[in-house]
């Protein structure tokens, strides 16, 4: 039996139409709930504040995999309903489908995988995609290869490229499931990694649809890394309806304090490995010695290293005003989801270990033009600049001889004398963002 839930005060219903699951409290270990799913009750565990559930059974069952002395599987939080309880909001807004569309989930799934859509189909997909909103505090997730993790630990605390809301991917925990999400996949790996952080503003992220990036769907397989970008704003997948995001202009976004690098084991267990401490500008190891095999899979992470110092990037960052002068700033949203105060922009003054609130926060990055093409400056070395295409397409790929660094990201070193119109772009953050 399929389940349709009408959102309160809205003419939308959930786009993920699935078999009903009823949840009640239980003290069974290792679960914290009992779930009735497809006519059977299972011990269950709540994940990511309700974004996903882990189901357990002592007997083999279709879709369940061995786990210690039982079997388990993961399901998305929207597959769980509580008909006898008051409406409880999810940590983020689920995809919603207009009830007047007369479109079921299978049809919608197929439409999100098509490059060429009719005008009505394109409008429907765009309307559904627009319901996946990023807000202040939204937990974002970027799957990473082991090599990408190594670079993250040794470079500025920023993130760029294609990413997802944790809410939409919380049920995809097995490494083989996360291969489709990866921008630089480790093919056949039994461990997967990801970077997780809080979004500061909706303006920092854009959908990966053809309206925003018209040239990306036209890049052939040998000109890209990772999966095809379909152009509908959704992950290419025959089974999952996952909205994709890219950082605006493919620019670097400063990470919020408390950002994490996590690993997923072959059993789907999530293990926090490192946490970014803005006070000291370091990545601090969180995983104990029992997770040495996860830590050892990261290139350059030899021995028992517990701390990585990172330097700020002069080409992108976050600044604000304190006592009439501009200072480096960070967004400190606390540890958790949607549980923080309005004053989230702070700085650490010399000699102080406690944060100081700042005013007029703004994110900045540097754009430039190289051979007539818009680029973002991401690095420099002597007289050379590392440039990233703002709008990747086949013509610029061929003419500029750029390299596919990861999914959607194309870069090239260029002599600074060839780069013109360098200018900083400022994105102002209102201190009372909601």
């Amino acid at each position: 039996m399929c389940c349709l839930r009408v959102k309160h005060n809205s003419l939308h219903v959930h786009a993920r139409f699935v078999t009903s699951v009823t949840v009640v409290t239980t003290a069974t270990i290792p679960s914290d709930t009992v779930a009735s799913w497809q006519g059977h009750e299972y011990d269950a565990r709540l994940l990511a504040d309700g974004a996903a559930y882990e189901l357990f059974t002592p007997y083999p069952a279709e879709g369940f995999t061995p786990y210690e002395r039982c079997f388990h599987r993961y399901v998305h939080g929207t597959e769980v309903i509580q008909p006898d309880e008051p409406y409880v909001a999810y940590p983020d807004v689920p995809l919603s489908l207009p009830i007047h569309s007369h479109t079921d989930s299978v049809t919608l799934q197929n439409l999100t995988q098509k490059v060429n859509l009719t005008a009505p189909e394109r409008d429907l997909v765009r309307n559904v995609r627009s319901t996946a909103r990023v807000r202040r505090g939204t937990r974002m997730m970027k799957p990473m290869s082991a090599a990408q993790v190594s670079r993250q630990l040794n470079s500025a605390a920023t993130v760029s490229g294609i990413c997802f809301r944790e809410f939409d991917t919380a049920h995809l925990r097995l490494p083989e499931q996360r291969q489709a999400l990866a921008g630089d996949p480790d093919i056949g790996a039994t461990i997967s990694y990801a970077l997780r952080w809080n979004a500061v503003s909706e303006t920092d992220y854009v959908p990966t649809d053809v309206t925003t990036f018209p040239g990306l769907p036209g890049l052939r397989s040998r000109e890209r890394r990772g999966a095809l970008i379909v152009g509908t704003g959704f992950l290419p997948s025959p089974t999952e309806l996952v909205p994709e995001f890219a950082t605006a202009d493919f620019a670097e976004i400063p990470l919020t304090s408390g950002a994490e690098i996590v690993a997923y084991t072959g059993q789907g267990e999530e293990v926090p490995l490192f946490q970014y401490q803005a006070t000291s500008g370091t990545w601090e190891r969180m995983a104990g010695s029992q997770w040495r095999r996860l830590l050892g899979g990261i290139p350059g992470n030899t021995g028992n290293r517990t701390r990585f110092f990172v330097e700020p990037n002069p080409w992108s960052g976050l600044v604000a005003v304190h006592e009439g002068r501009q200072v480096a700033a960070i967004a400190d949203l606390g540890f958790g989801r949607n549980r923080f105060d309005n004053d989230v922009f702070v700085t650490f003054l010399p000699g102080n270990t406690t944060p100081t609130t700042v005013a007029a926060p703004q994110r900045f990055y540097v754009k430039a033009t190289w051979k007539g093409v818009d680029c973002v400056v991401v690095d420099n070395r002597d007289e050379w600049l590392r440039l990233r295409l703002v709008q990747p397409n086949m013509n610029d790929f061929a003419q500029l001889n750029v390299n596919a660094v990861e999914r959607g990201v194309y870069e090239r070193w260029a002599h600074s004398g060839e780069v013109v119109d360098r200018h900083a772009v400022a994105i102002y953050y209102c201190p009372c963002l909601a």
Side-chain angles (χ1 to χ4, degrees):
M1 175 180 176
C2 287
C3 166
L4 307 183
R5 171 189 283 181
V6 179
K7 294 174 66 179
H8 288 203
N9 303 318
S10 173
L11 293 179
H12 291 76
V13 296
H14 288 179
R16 188 187 294 266
F17 304 94
V18 294
T19 304
S20 300
V21 180
T22 304
V23 175
V24 294
T25 304
T26 181
T28 304
I29 304 297
S31 64
D32 50 28
T33 63
V34 169
S36 176
W37 187 65
Q38 294 188 347
H40 301 279
E41 287 192 347
Y42 300 96
D43 288 334
R45 181 160 54 190
L46 185 69
L47 304 171
D49 283 359
Y53 282 78
E54 184 178 14
L55 307 180
F56 299 93
T57 175
Y59 309 107
E62 183 178 357
F64 287 73
T65 58
Y67 179 77
E68 296 181 353
R69 297 184 179 180
C70 60
F71 300 85
H72 73 153
R73 68 171 296 166
Y74 300 97
V75 297
H76 196 269
T78 52
E79 300 181 27
V80 176
I81 64 171
Q82 296 172 296
D84 299 326
E85 299 293 334
Y87 177 76
V88 178
Y90 295 106
D92 278 291
V93 179
L95 285 168
S96 297
L97 177 68
I99 58 177
H100 57 73
S101 67
H102 307 294
T103 302
D104 59 25
S105 60
V106 175
T107 302
L108 179 61
Q109 175 71 40
N110 292 335
L111 291 178
T112 65
Q113 306 303 299
K114 293 173 59 177
V115 177
N116 299 314
L117 297 172
T118 64
E121 291 173 339
R122 187 166 52 250
D123 289 342
L124 174 63
V125 172
R126 185 185 300 117
N127 288 337
V128 173
R129 177 61 183 79
S130 67
T131 64
R133 300 288 298 275
V134 172
R135 56 186 177 180
R136 192 188 71 180
T138 293
R139 297 286 277 182
M140 304 298 292
M141 178 81 72
K142 179 179 179 178
M144 286 185 162
S145 66
Q148 286 177 301
V149 172
S150 179
R151 289 194 294 271
Q152 186 71 63
L153 290 171
N154 292 280
S155 58
T158 58
V159 62
S160 64
I162 294 176
C163 52
F164 307 89
R165 298 189 305 178
E166 183 188 47
F167 174 79
D168 301 308
T169 61
H171 63 303
L172 303 175
R173 299 170 70 93
L174 301 177
E176 58 267 27
Q177 294 175 326
R178 300 186 66 82
Q179 284 289 330
L181 303 173
D184 184 24
D186 288 327
I187 303 300
T190 58
I191 302 169
S192 61
Y193 301 93
L195 176 67
R196 182 167 60 195
W197 69 100
N198 289 103
V200 174
S201 171
E202 180 180 9
T203 60
D204 289 342
Y205 306 92
V206 295
T208 61
D209 58 27
V210 70
T211 303
T212 311
F213 299 107
L216 279 178
L219 288 160
R220 299 186 294 265
S221 58
R222 62 176 177 268
E223 280 87 32
R224 65 173 188 261
R225 303 190 76 162
L228 167 72
I229 294 175
V230 182
T232 60
F234 288 90
L235 178 76
S237 170
T239 58
E240 300 297 334
L241 193 61
V242 177
E244 294 180 327
F245 297 85
T247 57
D249 278 343
F250 280 113
E252 299 285 339
I253 306 293
L255 289 174
T256 49
S257 182
E260 296 176 321
I261 294 173
V262 300
Y264 294 91
T265 69
Q267 297 290 334
E269 187 170 5
E270 181 186 280
V271 181
L273 300 181
F274 295 92
Q275 186 177 75
Y276 175 58
Q277 301 291 339
T279 310
S280 55
T282 59
W283 287 99
E284 303 286 342
R285 198 182 81 184
M286 301 174 66
S289 58
Q290 72 271 30
W291 300 113
R292 190 168 297 156
R293 63 185 181 88
L294 305 181
L295 297 163
I298 302 171
N301 187 34
T302 57
N304 197 32
R305 190 167 181 179
T306 60
R307 179 177 296 178
F308 289 82
F309 289 91
V310 293
E311 296 292 335
N313 187 340
W315 302 102
S316 60
L318 181 63
V319 295
V321 175
H322 175 67
E323 295 183 348
R325 62 187 181 90
Q326 193 173 80
V327 295
I330 63 167
D332 188 353
L333 305 186
F335 303 103
R337 300 172 180 87
N338 304 317
R339 292 187 289 270
F340 39 78
D341 298 325
N342 287 331
D343 296 326
V344 298
F345 298 97
V346 299
T347 190
F348 288 92
L349 300 175
N352 288 0
T353 57
T354 57
T356 300
T357 303
V358 291
Q362 60 174 289
R363 175 174 68 87
F364 73 90
Y365 60 101
V366 176
K367 294 185 70 173
T369 302
W370 179 50
K371 297 185 178 181
V373 177
D374 287 340
C375 301
V376 174
V377 182
V378 295
D379 199 2
N380 69 289
R381 189 174 302 163
D382 297 327
E383 297 181 354
W384 295 84
L385 297 176
R386 184 73 173 176
L387 304 178
R388 179 180 298 162
L389 298 187
V390 171
Q391 285 288 343
N393 57 74
M394 275 301 304
N395 183 61
D396 292 342
F397 182 93
Q399 291 192 8
L400 303 180
N401 194 27
V402 293
N403 300 312
V405 177
E406 60 184 62
R407 188 163 177 249
V409 177
Y410 294 82
E411 296 179 354
R412 170 72 189 272
W413 286 100
H415 193 275
S416 59
E418 300 177 351
V419 181
V420 299
D421 191 28
R422 275 183 268 176
H423 63 281
V425 177
I427 308 297
Y428 290 88
Y429 290 144
C430 171
C432 55
L433 287 170

